[in-house]
Amino acid sequence: MELIDKLTILSDSAKYDVACTSSGSNRSSKAGMTGNTVNMGICHSFSADGRCISLLKVLMTNSCMYDCAYCVNRRSNDTRRAAFTPRELADLTIQFYRRNYIEGLFLSSGIMRSPDYTTEQMIAALELLRGEYGFNGYIHVKAIPGADSALISRLGMLADRMSVNIELPSRESLQMLAPDKSKEAILRPMGLIREKITENAYDVVKYRHSPKFAPAGQSTQLIVGATPETDHKILTLTEGLYKKYKLKRVFYSAYMPVTQHSLLPSTETKPPLLREHRLYQADWLLRFYGFQARELLDERNPNFNPLIDPKCNWAIHHMELFPMEVNRASYEELLRVPGIGVQSAKRIIAARRTATLDFASLKKLGVVLKRAQYFITCKGKALEGLRVSESSILRGLISESGLKNILQPEYEQLSFFDESAVTKESVMQCLTGQM
């Protein structure tokens, strides 16, 4: 098979892996070597499915001994198979890099023969890149569950970032759709990677030139919408992964129906992209805003509201905490206000040391007043002319497109200026799922 045919097959097979982010790794260029990495590198082009990337994103092979029902590369699927040799993959990567097509490599693989054999092939390719070709650029590699610990350790010394895909959010779903895999086999390499990163951090401090193990950390991916788990279940799992395994990122991938199966959504089902978006918003709240999963969702409200973002949804259910006086609120309290982000909260804290802030000042500091105005006061006063009621707050937080969709039935076209249609009852019904 021609190399171009292999590239076509194996790059297309890799498009369902989500790992498009900044590199998170700093490594300067060196004499005799090719490339470098910077923290804010990668992420400036777009793949066919709309994701922002600048990586050669391929599989070592799309042949797989496993038969996961949701996977396009599963053993029982009738599809063209291909495999790179380590030399082919290393040569392809370095040639693409020299032509400025890519900034780095994202490498995953189906399981051929065994997890150990597959990992050995990936190691051989990366050793050629790092050693013979002197490639000093960014490499993200997927660790293979079930592979020997020594092999995973070798792989981590060659990569900037490692990840192990959990994919399905519960043991029950894993047993049902991926019977060849087990939760323990997936979590074991995640634990090993965490331990090696911790050990290596001490080695680097003690020995300045000690080689680094996955300096950009590790991540994982969860498939959203293939199985019946709620957002509450997914977010609780995410929180646990961040705490236990010190992950840099959890990626969410809206399930794209690629196969017909009785246990999966039909192939005509649209990917739940809005749900994926809400999970990313909530993930941001966990990592940077001090929220906990149980604050955002619970057993009574297990899924995110599709009409407003998780922070706004939390705020309207905790109106007893608002309005908040921005000239006295702590940094942690400001982060809870919709429309105030991490940077704008820091600017507010810094600016009010020398002046008393008003609404005009907040706008200059980057606060999104369209959202924040309902939850704050300046000098003890609300924004002049603001109507504050439950229905007006809800209407103000819902986007125009969302409002149009929920208030206009398909068989009737309402006027944009018909305010009588926007009632407290209609909006509340939409927000609680009663329409």
Side-chain angles (χ1 to χ4, degrees):
M1 184 182 290
E2 294 291 332
L3 187 60
I4 187 64
D5 294 325
K6 290 185 179 182
L7 178 61
T8 300
I9 294 169
L10 297 174
S11 60
D12 185 67
S13 298
K15 68 184 180 182
Y16 301 104
D17 266 308
V18 182
C20 307
T21 181
S22 57
S23 70
S25 179
N26 269 324
R27 186 169 54 251
S28 59
S29 59
K30 298 179 182 178
M33 300 191 76
T34 301
N36 60 4
T37 66
V38 293
N39 271 329
M40 299 310 293
I42 318 301
C43 263
H44 62 240
S45 63
F46 294 88
S47 65
D49 60 351
R51 300 186 188 278
C52 185
I53 61 170
S54 185
L55 300 171
L56 173 58
K57 193 175 177 186
V58 293
L59 302 183
M60 194 80 197
T61 180
N62 67 338
S63 297
C64 192
M65 56 185 290
Y66 293 163
D67 200 30
C68 305
Y70 54 84
C71 183
V72 70
N73 300 313
R74 68 189 186 283
R75 182 179 66 238
S76 61
N77 193 28
D78 184 17
T79 188
R80 292 182 70 193
R81 306 290 180 174
F84 284 124
T85 65
R87 174 69 63 180
E88 286 174 336
L89 180 61
D91 186 62
L92 193 66
T93 303
I94 200 67
Q95 293 300 328
F96 276 23
Y97 190 89
R98 286 170 177 166
R99 288 172 171 78
N100 203 30
Y101 294 164
I102 60 171
E103 289 186 65
L105 171 67
F106 172 89
L107 180 61
S108 185
S109 184
I111 313 300
M112 49 181 171
R113 299 192 192 178
S114 70
D116 284 351
Y117 178 79
T118 305
T119 305
E120 287 169 353
Q121 292 294 296
M122 297 168 78
I123 289 172
L126 299 192
E127 285 180 339
L128 283 171
L129 269 174
R130 294 298 198 200
E132 183 174 327
Y133 290 98
F135 183 63
N136 200 38
Y138 177 75
I139 296 177
H140 181 157
V141 66
K142 288 290 180 77
I144 306 298
D148 186 85
S149 298
L151 293 174
I152 292 176
S153 297
R154 285 176 60 192
L155 197 61
M157 299 305 293
L158 296 164
D160 292 281
R161 174 169 288 179
M162 295 187 74
S163 55
V164 185
N165 280 1
I166 292 180
E167 294 177 339
L168 299 180
S170 71
R171 186 191 300 269
E172 294 75 23
S173 293
L174 199 64
Q175 291 174 345
M176 180 174 60
L177 297 175
D180 299 307
K181 297 180 179 179
S182 68
K183 181 179 178 181
E184 291 73 21
I186 294 171
L187 296 181
R188 191 179 303 115
M190 291 182 72
L192 174 66
I193 293 169
R194 177 202 60 199
E195 292 169 7
K196 295 296 291 184
I197 291 174
T198 303
E199 291 173 7
N200 186 248
Y202 290 110
D203 292 340
V204 170
V205 171
K206 191 173 182 179
Y207 307 103
R208 187 174 62 176
H209 299 293
S210 176
K212 295 180 179 179
F213 182 93
Q218 69 167 317
S219 58
T220 192
Q221 172 180 292
L222 293 170
I223 297 175
V224 179
T227 50
E229 285 83 12
T230 63
D231 294 340
H232 179 235
K233 173 76 173 178
I234 294 172
L235 198 65
T236 301
L237 173 61
T238 295
E239 185 177 53
L241 291 172
Y242 279 131
K243 289 180 178 178
K244 185 172 182 178
Y245 296 103
K246 310 299 181 185
L247 300 186
K248 289 291 185 181
R249 288 292 303 272
V250 174
F251 292 97
Y252 308 94
S253 177
Y255 175 66
M256 301 172 64
V258 294
T259 180
Q260 191 67 45
H261 194 282
S262 60
L263 298 176
L264 291 169
S266 73
T267 53
E268 297 179 357
T269 304
K270 293 182 179 180
L273 297 176
L274 180 57
R275 186 181 177 194
E276 176 192 283
H277 179 59
R278 292 287 181 245
L279 283 166
Y280 273 117
Q281 289 176 319
D283 183 280
W284 203 262
L285 295 180
L286 294 182
R287 292 191 294 137
F288 300 110
Y289 286 76
F291 281 85
Q292 296 182 339
R294 66 172 182 268
E295 294 181 273
L296 300 173
L297 294 171
D298 54 35
E299 295 295 338
R300 291 183 301 171
N301 300 287
N303 293 302
F304 287 116
N305 193 315
L307 301 176
I308 56 177
D309 68 69
K311 190 177 180 182
C312 291
N313 192 55
W314 174 85
I316 63 174
H317 285 93
H318 293 82
M319 290 303 294
E320 71 277 4
L321 303 176
F322 303 105
M324 192 177 292
E325 172 55 51
V326 293
N327 288 291
R328 293 195 301 269
S330 66
Y331 173 72
E332 291 74 18
E333 289 173 328
L334 290 172
L335 287 179
R336 299 270 166 148
V337 178
I340 297 181
V342 173
Q343 293 303 318
S344 52
K346 290 178 179 178
R347 290 169 187 155
I348 289 171
I349 297 296
R352 70 188 189 188
R353 292 172 185 159
T354 56
T356 302
L357 302 179
D358 55 20
F359 285 98
S361 303
L362 293 179
K363 190 173 183 179
K364 292 178 181 179
L365 293 174
V367 173
V368 183
L369 285 179
K370 182 179 179 181
R371 296 187 193 131
Q373 61 185 343
Y374 303 106
F375 305 98
I376 59 174
T377 58
C378 290
K379 306 175 186 177
K381 296 180 180 180
L383 185 65
E384 186 177 354
L386 180 68
R387 291 191 309 166
V388 179
S389 65
E390 192 172 3
S391 59
S392 64
I393 292 175
L394 292 172
R395 190 187 189 287
L397 294 176
I398 300 173
S399 67
E400 287 299 322
S401 59
L403 197 61
K404 179 180 177 181
N405 290 336
I406 64 174
L407 294 180
Q408 295 191 27
E410 293 182 1
Y411 54 83
E412 182 181 1
Q413 182 175 347
L414 300 181
S415 167
F416 285 112
F417 306 101
D418 186 5
E419 293 294 329
S420 63
V422 186
T423 64
K424 172 183 174 181
E425 290 74 21
S426 63
V427 177
M428 283 299 293
Q429 286 176 347
C430 294
L431 290 174
T432 57
Q434 296 174 2
M435 285 190 79

PDB file of all heavy atoms in Angstrom, residues 151-182:
ATOM      1  N   LEU A 151       7.087  -0.366  29.603  1.00  0.00           N
ATOM      2  CA  LEU A 151       6.887   0.201  28.267  1.00  0.00           C
ATOM      3  C   LEU A 151       6.218   1.577  28.354  1.00  0.00           C
ATOM      4  O   LEU A 151       6.583   2.500  27.623  1.00  0.00           O
ATOM      5  CB  LEU A 151       6.043  -0.737  27.412  1.00  0.00           C
ATOM      6  CG  LEU A 151       6.695  -2.080  27.043  1.00  0.00           C
ATOM      7  CD1 LEU A 151       5.699  -2.969  26.310  1.00  0.00           C
ATOM      8  CD2 LEU A 151       7.941  -1.857  26.185  1.00  0.00           C
ATOM      9  N   ILE A 152       5.250   1.712  29.242  1.00  0.00           N
ATOM     10  CA  ILE A 152       4.584   3.003  29.418  1.00  0.00           C
ATOM     11  C   ILE A 152       5.580   4.036  29.942  1.00  0.00           C
ATOM     12  O   ILE A 152       5.556   5.206  29.533  1.00  0.00           O
ATOM     13  CB  ILE A 152       3.375   2.863  30.356  1.00  0.00           C
ATOM     14  CG1 ILE A 152       2.283   2.026  29.678  1.00  0.00           C
ATOM     15  CG2 ILE A 152       2.821   4.227  30.753  1.00  0.00           C
ATOM     16  CD1 ILE A 152       1.076   1.742  30.530  1.00  0.00           C
ATOM     17  N   SER A 153       6.482   3.610  30.807  1.00  0.00           N
ATOM     18  CA  SER A 153       7.512   4.517  31.324  1.00  0.00           C
ATOM     19  C   SER A 153       8.436   4.988  30.205  1.00  0.00           C
ATOM     20  O   SER A 153       8.787   6.170  30.135  1.00  0.00           O
ATOM     21  CB  SER A 153       8.325   3.821  32.415  1.00  0.00           C
ATOM     22  OG  SER A 153       7.510   3.494  33.525  1.00  0.00           O
ATOM     23  N   ARG A 154       8.834   4.082  29.319  1.00  0.00           N
ATOM     24  CA  ARG A 154       9.679   4.454  28.177  1.00  0.00           C
ATOM     25  C   ARG A 154       8.942   5.410  27.246  1.00  0.00           C
ATOM     26  O   ARG A 154       9.517   6.377  26.750  1.00  0.00           O
ATOM     27  CB  ARG A 154      10.100   3.201  27.398  1.00  0.00           C
ATOM     28  CG  ARG A 154      11.175   2.365  28.070  1.00  0.00           C
ATOM     29  CD  ARG A 154      11.449   1.105  27.275  1.00  0.00           C
ATOM     30  NE  ARG A 154      11.902   1.399  25.913  1.00  0.00           N
ATOM     31  CZ  ARG A 154      11.995   0.482  24.945  1.00  0.00           C
ATOM     32  NH1 ARG A 154      11.623  -0.778  25.203  1.00  0.00           N
ATOM     33  NH2 ARG A 154      12.426   0.818  23.749  1.00  0.00           N
ATOM     34  N   LEU A 155       7.670   5.162  27.038  1.00  0.00           N
ATOM     35  CA  LEU A 155       6.868   6.009  26.166  1.00  0.00           C
ATOM     36  C   LEU A 155       6.779   7.431  26.724  1.00  0.00           C
ATOM     37  O   LEU A 155       6.871   8.419  25.995  1.00  0.00           O
ATOM     38  CB  LEU A 155       5.473   5.402  26.018  1.00  0.00           C
ATOM     39  CG  LEU A 155       4.589   5.883  24.866  1.00  0.00           C
ATOM     40  CD1 LEU A 155       5.239   5.591  23.522  1.00  0.00           C
ATOM     41  CD2 LEU A 155       3.220   5.218  24.945  1.00  0.00           C
ATOM     42  N   GLY A 156       6.605   7.528  28.056  1.00  0.00           N
ATOM     43  CA  GLY A 156       6.488   8.830  28.696  1.00  0.00           C
ATOM     44  C   GLY A 156       7.753   9.662  28.642  1.00  0.00           C
ATOM     45  O   GLY A 156       7.696  10.902  28.667  1.00  0.00           O
ATOM     46  N   MET A 157       8.919   9.007  28.545  1.00  0.00           N
ATOM     47  CA  MET A 157      10.172   9.741  28.444  1.00  0.00           C
ATOM     48  C   MET A 157      10.383  10.331  27.048  1.00  0.00           C
ATOM     49  O   MET A 157      11.239  11.195  26.857  1.00  0.00           O
ATOM     50  CB  MET A 157      11.353   8.823  28.780  1.00  0.00           C
ATOM     51  CG  MET A 157      11.325   8.260  30.193  1.00  0.00           C
ATOM     52  SD  MET A 157      11.222   9.516  31.498  1.00  0.00           S
ATOM     53  CE  MET A 157      12.808  10.320  31.322  1.00  0.00           C
ATOM     54  N   LEU A 158       9.569   9.887  26.082  1.00  0.00           N
ATOM     55  CA  LEU A 158       9.701  10.353  24.710  1.00  0.00           C
ATOM     56  C   LEU A 158       8.643  11.396  24.335  1.00  0.00           C
ATOM     57  O   LEU A 158       8.758  12.058  23.305  1.00  0.00           O
ATOM     58  CB  LEU A 158       9.597   9.171  23.738  1.00  0.00           C
ATOM     59  CG  LEU A 158      10.705   8.123  23.842  1.00  0.00           C
ATOM     60  CD1 LEU A 158      10.290   6.841  23.116  1.00  0.00           C
ATOM     61  CD2 LEU A 158      12.007   8.660  23.263  1.00  0.00           C
ATOM     62  N   ALA A 159       7.592  11.502  25.149  1.00  0.00           N
ATOM     63  CA  ALA A 159       6.443  12.346  24.807  1.00  0.00           C
ATOM     64  C   ALA A 159       6.373  13.584  25.692  1.00  0.00           C
ATOM     65  O   ALA A 159       6.916  13.610  26.804  1.00  0.00           O
ATOM     66  CB  ALA A 159       5.156  11.543  24.939  1.00  0.00           C
ATOM     67  N   ASP A 160       5.690  14.613  25.199  1.00  0.00           N
ATOM     68  CA  ASP A 160       5.416  15.803  26.006  1.00  0.00           C
ATOM     69  C   ASP A 160       4.157  15.607  26.840  1.00  0.00           C
ATOM     70  O   ASP A 160       4.091  16.048  27.978  1.00  0.00           O
ATOM     71  CB  ASP A 160       5.224  17.020  25.098  1.00  0.00           C
ATOM     72  CG  ASP A 160       6.520  17.416  24.413  1.00  0.00           C
ATOM     73  OD1 ASP A 160       7.359  18.060  25.058  1.00  0.00           O
ATOM     74  OD2 ASP A 160       6.692  17.057  23.233  1.00  0.00           O
ATOM     75  N   ARG A 161       3.164  14.997  26.252  1.00  0.00           N
ATOM     76  CA  ARG A 161       1.916  14.740  26.969  1.00  0.00           C
ATOM     77  C   ARG A 161       1.463  13.321  26.692  1.00  0.00           C
ATOM     78  O   ARG A 161       1.606  12.820  25.579  1.00  0.00           O
ATOM     79  CB  ARG A 161       0.829  15.732  26.559  1.00  0.00           C
ATOM     80  CG  ARG A 161      -0.536  15.433  27.169  1.00  0.00           C
ATOM     81  CD  ARG A 161      -1.530  16.568  26.967  1.00  0.00           C
ATOM     82  NE  ARG A 161      -1.182  17.701  27.816  1.00  0.00           N
ATOM     83  CZ  ARG A 161      -1.865  18.853  27.840  1.00  0.00           C
ATOM     84  NH1 ARG A 161      -2.910  19.011  27.060  1.00  0.00           N
ATOM     85  NH2 ARG A 161      -1.504  19.834  28.642  1.00  0.00           N
ATOM     86  N   MET A 162       0.893  12.684  27.728  1.00  0.00           N
ATOM     87  CA  MET A 162       0.329  11.343  27.576  1.00  0.00           C
ATOM     88  C   MET A 162      -1.144  11.384  27.963  1.00  0.00           C
ATOM     89  O   MET A 162      -1.574  12.235  28.752  1.00  0.00           O
ATOM     90  CB  MET A 162       1.062  10.333  28.458  1.00  0.00           C
ATOM     91  CG  MET A 162       2.512  10.121  28.090  1.00  0.00           C
ATOM     92  SD  MET A 162       3.251   8.771  29.044  1.00  0.00           S
ATOM     93  CE  MET A 162       2.509   7.333  28.251  1.00  0.00           C
ATOM     94  N   SER A 163      -1.899  10.461  27.402  1.00  0.00           N
ATOM     95  CA  SER A 163      -3.298  10.361  27.784  1.00  0.00           C
ATOM     96  C   SER A 163      -3.754   8.918  27.680  1.00  0.00           C
ATOM     97  O   SER A 163      -3.201   8.124  26.923  1.00  0.00           O
ATOM     98  CB  SER A 163      -4.181  11.269  26.909  1.00  0.00           C
ATOM     99  OG  SER A 163      -3.992  10.986  25.544  1.00  0.00           O
ATOM    100  N   VAL A 164      -4.749   8.599  28.481  1.00  0.00           N
ATOM    101  CA  VAL A 164      -5.390   7.289  28.455  1.00  0.00           C
ATOM    102  C   VAL A 164      -6.887   7.553  28.362  1.00  0.00           C
ATOM    103  O   VAL A 164      -7.455   8.167  29.255  1.00  0.00           O
ATOM    104  CB  VAL A 164      -5.086   6.464  29.728  1.00  0.00           C
ATOM    105  CG1 VAL A 164      -5.671   5.062  29.600  1.00  0.00           C
ATOM    106  CG2 VAL A 164      -3.592   6.393  29.991  1.00  0.00           C
ATOM    107  N   ASN A 165      -7.523   7.107  27.306  1.00  0.00           N
ATOM    108  CA  ASN A 165      -8.945   7.390  27.122  1.00  0.00           C
ATOM    109  C   ASN A 165      -9.817   6.494  27.992  1.00  0.00           C
ATOM    110  O   ASN A 165      -9.779   5.271  27.874  1.00  0.00           O
ATOM    111  CB  ASN A 165      -9.347   7.191  25.657  1.00  0.00           C
ATOM    112  CG  ASN A 165      -8.962   8.370  24.793  1.00  0.00           C
ATOM    113  OD1 ASN A 165      -8.381   9.345  25.278  1.00  0.00           O
ATOM    114  ND2 ASN A 165      -9.269   8.295  23.522  1.00  0.00           N
ATOM    115  N   ILE A 166     -10.621   7.135  28.862  1.00  0.00           N
ATOM    116  CA  ILE A 166     -11.628   6.388  29.614  1.00  0.00           C
ATOM    117  C   ILE A 166     -12.811   6.073  28.707  1.00  0.00           C
ATOM    118  O   ILE A 166     -13.384   4.993  28.734  1.00  0.00           O
ATOM    119  CB  ILE A 166     -12.084   7.192  30.845  1.00  0.00           C
ATOM    120  CG1 ILE A 166     -10.924   7.292  31.839  1.00  0.00           C
ATOM    121  CG2 ILE A 166     -13.294   6.544  31.505  1.00  0.00           C
ATOM    122  CD1 ILE A 166     -11.265   8.067  33.081  1.00  0.00           C
ATOM    123  N   GLU A 167     -13.181   7.053  27.904  1.00  0.00           N
ATOM    124  CA  GLU A 167     -14.228   6.973  26.883  1.00  0.00           C
ATOM    125  C   GLU A 167     -15.630   6.847  27.452  1.00  0.00           C
ATOM    126  O   GLU A 167     -16.460   7.706  27.246  1.00  0.00           O
ATOM    127  CB  GLU A 167     -13.935   5.845  25.885  1.00  0.00           C
ATOM    128  CG  GLU A 167     -12.685   6.139  25.064  1.00  0.00           C
ATOM    129  CD  GLU A 167     -12.308   5.050  24.114  1.00  0.00           C
ATOM    130  OE1 GLU A 167     -12.728   3.892  24.309  1.00  0.00           O
ATOM    131  OE2 GLU A 167     -11.574   5.352  23.153  1.00  0.00           O
ATOM    132  N   LEU A 168     -15.955   5.772  28.158  1.00  0.00           N
ATOM    133  CA  LEU A 168     -17.302   5.602  28.689  1.00  0.00           C
ATOM    134  C   LEU A 168     -17.316   5.903  30.180  1.00  0.00           C
ATOM    135  O   LEU A 168     -16.449   5.456  30.927  1.00  0.00           O
ATOM    136  CB  LEU A 168     -17.810   4.185  28.422  1.00  0.00           C
ATOM    137  CG  LEU A 168     -17.911   3.818  26.931  1.00  0.00           C
ATOM    138  CD1 LEU A 168     -18.409   2.398  26.764  1.00  0.00           C
ATOM    139  CD2 LEU A 168     -18.812   4.786  26.180  1.00  0.00           C
ATOM    140  N   PRO A 169     -18.327   6.654  30.652  1.00  0.00           N
ATOM    141  CA  PRO A 169     -18.292   7.204  32.018  1.00  0.00           C
ATOM    142  C   PRO A 169     -18.595   6.218  33.142  1.00  0.00           C
ATOM    143  O   PRO A 169     -18.525   6.605  34.302  1.00  0.00           O
ATOM    144  CB  PRO A 169     -19.370   8.300  31.976  1.00  0.00           C
ATOM    145  CG  PRO A 169     -19.679   8.517  30.542  1.00  0.00           C
ATOM    146  CD  PRO A 169     -19.428   7.215  29.869  1.00  0.00           C
ATOM    147  N   SER A 170     -18.978   4.989  32.855  1.00  0.00           N
ATOM    148  CA  SER A 170     -19.306   4.066  33.932  1.00  0.00           C
ATOM    149  C   SER A 170     -18.829   2.657  33.605  1.00  0.00           C
ATOM    150  O   SER A 170     -18.655   2.294  32.433  1.00  0.00           O
ATOM    151  CB  SER A 170     -20.821   4.043  34.191  1.00  0.00           C
ATOM    152  OG  SER A 170     -21.501   3.402  33.122  1.00  0.00           O
ATOM    153  N   ARG A 171     -18.623   1.874  34.652  1.00  0.00           N
ATOM    154  CA  ARG A 171     -18.206   0.482  34.490  1.00  0.00           C
ATOM    155  C   ARG A 171     -19.262  -0.319  33.713  1.00  0.00           C
ATOM    156  O   ARG A 171     -18.935  -1.166  32.881  1.00  0.00           O
ATOM    157  CB  ARG A 171     -17.974  -0.148  35.866  1.00  0.00           C
ATOM    158  CG  ARG A 171     -17.403  -1.565  35.829  1.00  0.00           C
ATOM    159  CD  ARG A 171     -17.479  -2.193  37.216  1.00  0.00           C
ATOM    160  NE  ARG A 171     -16.731  -1.425  38.181  1.00  0.00           N
ATOM    161  CZ  ARG A 171     -15.459  -1.627  38.483  1.00  0.00           C
ATOM    162  NH1 ARG A 171     -14.785  -2.584  37.856  1.00  0.00           N
ATOM    163  NH2 ARG A 171     -14.847  -0.902  39.392  1.00  0.00           N
ATOM    164  N   GLU A 172     -20.546  -0.015  33.987  1.00  0.00           N
ATOM    165  CA  GLU A 172     -21.627  -0.760  33.338  1.00  0.00           C
ATOM    166  C   GLU A 172     -21.616  -0.535  31.821  1.00  0.00           C
ATOM    167  O   GLU A 172     -21.758  -1.483  31.042  1.00  0.00           O
ATOM    168  CB  GLU A 172     -22.981  -0.330  33.916  1.00  0.00           C
ATOM    169  CG  GLU A 172     -23.197  -0.678  35.383  1.00  0.00           C
ATOM    170  CD  GLU A 172     -22.413   0.219  36.341  1.00  0.00           C
ATOM    171  OE1 GLU A 172     -22.061   1.360  35.930  1.00  0.00           O
ATOM    172  OE2 GLU A 172     -22.155  -0.215  37.479  1.00  0.00           O
ATOM    173  N   SER A 173     -21.437   0.712  31.400  1.00  0.00           N
ATOM    174  CA  SER A 173     -21.400   1.013  29.972  1.00  0.00           C
ATOM    175  C   SER A 173     -20.180   0.390  29.309  1.00  0.00           C
ATOM    176  O   SER A 173     -20.239  -0.077  28.169  1.00  0.00           O
ATOM    177  CB  SER A 173     -21.399   2.524  29.755  1.00  0.00           C
ATOM    178  OG  SER A 173     -22.622   3.094  30.148  1.00  0.00           O
ATOM    179  N   LEU A 174     -19.073   0.379  30.030  1.00  0.00           N
ATOM    180  CA  LEU A 174     -17.851  -0.214  29.495  1.00  0.00           C
ATOM    181  C   LEU A 174     -18.044  -1.710  29.265  1.00  0.00           C
ATOM    182  O   LEU A 174     -17.661  -2.252  28.219  1.00  0.00           O
ATOM    183  CB  LEU A 174     -16.690   0.048  30.456  1.00  0.00           C
ATOM    184  CG  LEU A 174     -15.270  -0.093  29.899  1.00  0.00           C
ATOM    185  CD1 LEU A 174     -15.017   0.941  28.820  1.00  0.00           C
ATOM    186  CD2 LEU A 174     -14.245   0.049  31.012  1.00  0.00           C
ATOM    187  N   GLN A 175     -18.642  -2.392  30.223  1.00  0.00           N
ATOM    188  CA  GLN A 175     -18.887  -3.827  30.085  1.00  0.00           C
ATOM    189  C   GLN A 175     -19.869  -4.120  28.960  1.00  0.00           C
ATOM    190  O   GLN A 175     -19.751  -5.140  28.267  1.00  0.00           O
ATOM    191  CB  GLN A 175     -19.413  -4.391  31.403  1.00  0.00           C
ATOM    192  CG  GLN A 175     -18.380  -4.418  32.522  1.00  0.00           C
ATOM    193  CD  GLN A 175     -18.974  -4.850  33.847  1.00  0.00           C
ATOM    194  OE1 GLN A 175     -20.197  -4.871  34.032  1.00  0.00           O
ATOM    195  NE2 GLN A 175     -18.100  -5.206  34.789  1.00  0.00           N
ATOM    196  N   MET A 176     -20.826  -3.215  28.747  1.00  0.00           N
ATOM    197  CA  MET A 176     -21.855  -3.433  27.749  1.00  0.00           C
ATOM    198  C   MET A 176     -21.347  -3.186  26.329  1.00  0.00           C
ATOM    199  O   MET A 176     -21.641  -3.961  25.411  1.00  0.00           O
ATOM    200  CB  MET A 176     -23.046  -2.509  28.043  1.00  0.00           C
ATOM    201  CG  MET A 176     -24.210  -2.633  27.078  1.00  0.00           C
ATOM    202  SD  MET A 176     -25.628  -1.647  27.605  1.00  0.00           S
ATOM    203  CE  MET A 176     -24.932   0.022  27.626  1.00  0.00           C
ATOM    204  N   LEU A 177     -20.549  -2.114  26.150  1.00  0.00           N
ATOM    205  CA  LEU A 177     -20.147  -1.721  24.808  1.00  0.00           C
ATOM    206  C   LEU A 177     -18.693  -2.027  24.474  1.00  0.00           C
ATOM    207  O   LEU A 177     -18.316  -2.041  23.295  1.00  0.00           O
ATOM    208  CB  LEU A 177     -20.390  -0.221  24.615  1.00  0.00           C
ATOM    209  CG  LEU A 177     -21.849   0.234  24.697  1.00  0.00           C
ATOM    210  CD1 LEU A 177     -21.938   1.748  24.603  1.00  0.00           C
ATOM    211  CD2 LEU A 177     -22.676  -0.405  23.591  1.00  0.00           C
ATOM    212  N   ALA A 178     -17.866  -2.237  25.477  1.00  0.00           N
ATOM    213  CA  ALA A 178     -16.445  -2.542  25.248  1.00  0.00           C
ATOM    214  C   ALA A 178     -16.018  -3.687  26.156  1.00  0.00           C
ATOM    215  O   ALA A 178     -15.218  -3.504  27.078  1.00  0.00           O
ATOM    216  CB  ALA A 178     -15.596  -1.303  25.494  1.00  0.00           C
ATOM    217  N   PRO A 179     -16.538  -4.889  25.913  1.00  0.00           N
ATOM    218  CA  PRO A 179     -16.294  -6.019  26.820  1.00  0.00           C
ATOM    219  C   PRO A 179     -14.830  -6.444  26.907  1.00  0.00           C
ATOM    220  O   PRO A 179     -14.443  -7.124  27.858  1.00  0.00           O
ATOM    221  CB  PRO A 179     -17.154  -7.137  26.218  1.00  0.00           C
ATOM    222  CG  PRO A 179     -17.350  -6.750  24.786  1.00  0.00           C
ATOM    223  CD  PRO A 179     -17.389  -5.255  24.770  1.00  0.00           C
ATOM    224  N   ASP A 180     -13.992  -6.052  25.926  1.00  0.00           N
ATOM    225  CA  ASP A 180     -12.573  -6.420  25.962  1.00  0.00           C
ATOM    226  C   ASP A 180     -11.772  -5.526  26.902  1.00  0.00           C
ATOM    227  O   ASP A 180     -10.617  -5.818  27.203  1.00  0.00           O
ATOM    228  CB  ASP A 180     -11.975  -6.337  24.558  1.00  0.00           C
ATOM    229  CG  ASP A 180     -12.663  -7.286  23.584  1.00  0.00           C
ATOM    230  OD1 ASP A 180     -12.745  -8.484  23.904  1.00  0.00           O
ATOM    231  OD2 ASP A 180     -13.137  -6.826  22.533  1.00  0.00           O
ATOM    232  N   LYS A 181     -12.393  -4.418  27.336  1.00  0.00           N
ATOM    233  CA  LYS A 181     -11.699  -3.484  28.219  1.00  0.00           C
ATOM    234  C   LYS A 181     -12.249  -3.583  29.639  1.00  0.00           C
ATOM    235  O   LYS A 181     -13.349  -4.067  29.853  1.00  0.00           O
ATOM    236  CB  LYS A 181     -11.860  -2.053  27.709  1.00  0.00           C
ATOM    237  CG  LYS A 181     -11.239  -1.801  26.341  1.00  0.00           C
ATOM    238  CD  LYS A 181     -11.457  -0.353  25.914  1.00  0.00           C
ATOM    239  CE  LYS A 181     -10.832  -0.079  24.558  1.00  0.00           C
ATOM    240  NZ  LYS A 181     -11.053   1.329  24.125  1.00  0.00           N
ATOM    241  N   SER A 182     -11.483  -3.086  30.587  1.00  0.00           N
ATOM    242  CA  SER A 182     -11.958  -3.029  31.974  1.00  0.00           C
ATOM    243  C   SER A 182     -11.548  -1.704  32.585  1.00  0.00           C
ATOM    244  O   SER A 182     -10.569  -1.068  32.147  1.00  0.00           O
ATOM    245  CB  SER A 182     -11.366  -4.176  32.801  1.00  0.00           C
ATOM    246  OG  SER A 182      -9.968  -4.016  32.966  1.00  0.00           O
TER     247      SER A 182
END
